[in-house]
Amino acid sequence: MSDNYLAVIPTDPYWQPGKDAADRAAAMLSGMLPDDDARRGLEAKWHDSVEVVSCGTNLETVSCQHCGGEFALGWWAEAVSERYAEGFSTLMATVPCCEVETSLNELAYDWPMGFARFRIEVLYPNRAWLSDEELASLAGALGHPLRQILIHI
């Protein structure tokens, strides 16, 4: 059996909202869901440290946003593991293609993903991507720009 999630995370991996802003954004997202089954799976989550918000099995390639070079997923996994071991105090890494130092959060993922200390996620959202307008409305309610991730595990 597989699980599907829709997650929205701040574009700044270290940023967290206050409870009131999170509640506003969660209520707004609830109104964007098609039915009560999807609404039951909605949850706002705060974390003490940055976590990987992976797209799960949807990920196939990771590329450099500077030169377009594609990385072996093994390189990416090792870079994430090293940052994890350090408590994600930094997300900076030197990419192997052009040796530029960049944030793991800013790499070009073929299926969106990211890093965050806060997320609102919906288990079995019964819908696909949020529209640009919906995402902008949620960002306004939360008080910070967001990115969305469809997760398949």
Side-chain angles (χ1 to χ4, degrees):
M1 175 127 195
S2 62
D3 291 327
N4 294 297
Y5 294 84
L6 169 65
V8 292
I9 63 172
T11 55
D12 176 349
Y14 298 94
W15 186 85
Q16 290 183 315
K19 181 161 178 15
D20 288 345
D23 287 347
R24 266 192 317 274
M28 184 176 285
L29 180 55
S30 177
M32 296 173 184
L33 299 173
D35 53 46
D36 287 341
D37 286 340
R39 289 181 191 92
R40 277 192 283 281
L42 188 143
E43 184 177 8
K45 297 180 177 184
W46 285 262
H47 303 284
D48 291 334
S49 62
V50 170
E51 294 192 349
V52 179
V53 184
S54 172
C55 60
T57 60
N58 290 327
L59 181 66
E60 293 183 13
T61 62
V62 180
S63 303
C64 176
Q65 80 276 23
H66 296 283
C67 74
E70 192 174 301
F71 312 129
L73 290 180
W75 174 87
W76 178 83
E78 184 176 319
V80 169
S81 292
E82 289 172 5
R83 302 313 167 287
Y84 173 80
E86 301 164 355
F88 286 115
S89 59
T90 183
L91 292 173
M92 299 304 287
T94 301
V95 293
C97 47
C98 61
E99 298 188 11
V100 169
E101 186 176 50
T102 191
S103 171
L104 296 174
N105 196 52
E106 299 304 319
L107 295 176
Y109 298 97
D110 70 320
W111 198 267
M113 48 188 292
F115 297 79
R117 291 182 56 217
F118 172 80
R119 74 174 96 175
I120 302 173
E121 69 180 21
V122 182
L123 174 62
Y124 304 123
N126 297 333
R127 65 162 296 158
W129 300 103
L130 299 171
S131 70
D132 291 342
E133 294 80 17
E134 289 171 321
L135 193 60
S137 293
L138 285 174
L142 195 63
H144 195 280
L146 296 170
R147 71 171 56 157
Q148 63 181 316
I149 301 165
L150 287 178
I151 304 165
H152 181 74
I153 301 172

